Amino acid sequence: MATAGKVIKCKAAVAWEAGKPLSIEEVEVAPPQAMEVRVEILYTALCHTDVYFREAKGQTPVFPRILGHEAGGIVESVGAGVTELVPGDHVLPVFTGECKDCAHCKSEESNLCDLLRINVDRGVMIGDGQSRFTIGGKPIFHFVGTSTFSEYTVIHVGCLAKINPEAPLDKVCVLSCGISTGLGATLNVAKPKKGSTVAIFGLGAVGLAAMEGAKMAGAPRIIGVDLNPAKYEQAKKFGCTDFVNPKDHTKPVQEVLVEMTNGGVDRAVECTGHVDAMISAFECVHDGWGVAVLVGVPHKEAVFKTHPMNLLNERTLKGTFFGNYKPRTDLPEVVEMYMRKELDLEKFITHSVPFSQINTAFDLMLKGEGLRCVMRMDE
């Protein structure tokens, strides 16, 4: 491409300070260095993590910054040493990576790459410790190695999944974070057998993706647990057969679920990040074979407490990160699941706005309206 090796000027949504609306600015995007790829972003979605880091209440504030990590794009140019991707390839950027070289990447069980594991505090590229974004010569920081709220971004090759060019990027972009996290938590980690009863705690986008996974696995009874009764109607589209609101009961919700299911559910997937829900998810699974999977990220002071007998009675507690998917190896096949119509992504995408209206997308999420808002870069 004519732009290869040159600085590109383009539009990006910049977070200048905590809690303030993003500002559309012209930024300079430097060419990719060794093992890096410059990507033209065509569609980017908003995930709750972007809202959380814009607010910057519970973590190290890193500003000015270009947020965004759920997206689809096309390779514009590649840096030295990049052999797997060429200009024109369709890719999904992912907030965690796969170097294919470390002990984790070589393990069939792990997707926690030593080199490219998520780092929310780092605002620079790992190769040289510099940012590829500037405004008037001053650096603008990156976010989780992706920074997709920009028409062009620079990403380490290990954080890009090369996908089928026939796949519509405005749909499959949502697979680069939340939907894959929930789906994989059920299919790859909980692994419910056909005929299982499954409980899903938290019915946001991640929880509903976990629910979709339970439906795909052949679970005839799927119990949604949420504090918001309005979530039940939407959850029915994802296979929810029963709904429990903990506020409707005087006893702990795990006891309610055990009574409802004659001893406990076969699988439980927790997608809220609240430690009480985590404990409930574990204590509601059936002794002898029940498995609970934790997906939500807890408060840093949180402590998980349960009686050891709950484990000794052959209940299993597992955690998962990004649904146990290896980004480069596994995500292309998740895209193919969509292409084969085994996975419905359209029902997760409740809003679509032009990139210039990105703050509208933030407002929708802060109000709890909708699941995913996809923004199109070309207006």
Side-chain angles (χ1 to χ4, degrees):
M1 292 197 182
T3 47
K6 299 174 185 170
V7 171
I8 289 178
K9 289 188 175 181
C10 70
K11 280 187 288 197
V14 177
W16 289 102
E17 56 183 304
K20 295 287 169 66
L22 305 188
S23 172
I24 303 288
E25 308 279 358
E26 183 178 81
V27 299
E28 300 102 29
V29 186
Q33 300 303 303
M35 302 309 288
E36 295 173 3
V37 179
R38 190 160 57 184
V39 177
E40 180 184 6
I41 298 295
L42 299 187
Y43 296 93
T44 185
L46 182 64
C47 168
H48 202 271
T49 308
D50 298 305
V51 179
Y52 183 70
F53 279 89
R54 185 192 73 166
E55 302 306 303
K57 287 174 181 165
Q59 70 297 106
T60 315
V62 181
F63 295 100
R65 194 173 211 182
I66 296 173
L67 298 167
H69 64 284
E70 206 172 88
I74 297 176
V75 173
E76 174 272 336
S77 60
V78 301
V82 175
T83 55
E84 300 95 330
L85 293 171
V86 295
D89 281 344
H90 286 218
V91 289
L92 298 182
V94 185
F95 62 89
T96 185
E98 183 185 353
C99 73
K100 298 198 174 181
D101 229 18
C102 69
H104 282 280
C105 285
K106 288 178 176 174
S107 159
E108 289 182 7
E109 297 176 52
S110 175
N111 66 340
L112 301 173
C113 176
D114 279 332
L115 179 68
L116 300 168
R117 193 180 304 194
I118 186 171
N119 182 328
V120 295
D121 296 332
R122 185 172 57 225
V124 294
M125 300 302 289
I126 58 171
D128 61 2
Q130 303 292 313
S131 173
R132 301 286 172 262
F133 297 110
T134 50
I135 293 181
K138 293 185 177 168
I140 307 294
F141 294 113
H142 294 250
F143 176 63
V144 297
T146 53
S147 292
T148 63
F149 292 165
S150 175
E151 292 176 318
Y152 288 85
T153 186
V154 177
I155 299 171
H156 191 284
V157 65
C159 296
L160 289 166
K162 179 183 173 180
I163 63 162
N164 183 344
E166 299 293 313
L169 289 172
D170 61 328
K171 305 295 189 294
V172 298
C173 63
V174 297
L175 289 173
S176 69
C177 179
I179 309 309
S180 296
T181 296
L183 186 73
T186 302
L187 295 179
N188 299 337
V189 188
K191 296 179 179 173
K193 295 185 174 80
K194 194 170 183 177
S196 297
T197 296
V198 180
I200 307 290
F201 287 72
L203 303 181
V206 176
L208 292 174
M211 187 170 277
E212 184 76 2
K215 187 171 82 169
M216 289 165 69
R221 190 177 189 193
I222 303 172
I223 305 168
V225 183
D226 202 285
L227 296 170
N228 180 355
K231 297 275 182 80
Y232 183 30
E233 206 50 47
Q234 186 174 46
K236 288 178 184 174
K237 295 181 200 164
F238 297 83
C240 191
T241 57
D242 303 70
F243 180 80
V244 176
N245 182 344
K247 289 194 288 197
D248 292 342
H249 301 273
T250 51
K251 63 177 74 167
V253 71
Q254 54 268 50
E255 292 180 21
V256 175
L257 291 163
V258 167
E259 285 178 15
M260 279 174 68
T261 54
N262 195 25
V265 299
D266 302 304
R267 301 289 185 266
V269 184
E270 192 288 323
C271 303
T272 72
H274 292 287
V275 73
D276 291 344
M278 294 178 177
I279 294 165
S280 297
F282 176 55
E283 293 184 353
C284 81
V285 302
H286 206 291
D287 58 359
W289 62 79
V291 178
V293 177
L294 307 186
V295 180
V297 179
H299 190 273
K300 61 185 177 198
E301 309 296 328
V303 178
F304 185 100
K305 289 181 181 175
T306 192
H307 197 282
M309 282 309 297
N310 290 323
L311 287 154
L312 293 169
N313 284 332
E314 298 179 6
R315 293 178 184 86
T316 301
L317 178 64
K318 293 182 170 185
T320 179
F321 173 73
F322 192 53
N324 211 230
Y325 286 119
K326 290 179 186 280
R328 295 157 86 184
T329 301
D330 298 332
L331 265 199
E333 174 52 26
V334 183
V335 169
E336 293 307 317
M337 287 163 67
Y338 168 77
M339 297 298 281
R340 293 192 298 262
K341 298 189 164 47
E342 295 163 17
L343 173 62
D344 179 3
L345 295 177
E346 279 83 355
K347 61 190 175 188
F348 288 98
I349 301 166
T350 50
H351 297 85
S352 176
V353 299
F355 182 56
S356 59
Q357 292 175 30
I358 187 167
N359 288 308
T360 302
F362 272 82
D363 292 342
L364 286 167
M365 187 156 273
L366 284 166
K367 287 181 198 158
E369 291 180 23
L371 295 173
R372 277 294 181 269
C373 180
V374 172
M375 293 164 273
R376 53 191 182 278
M377 292 313 222
D378 64 330
E379 301 189 23

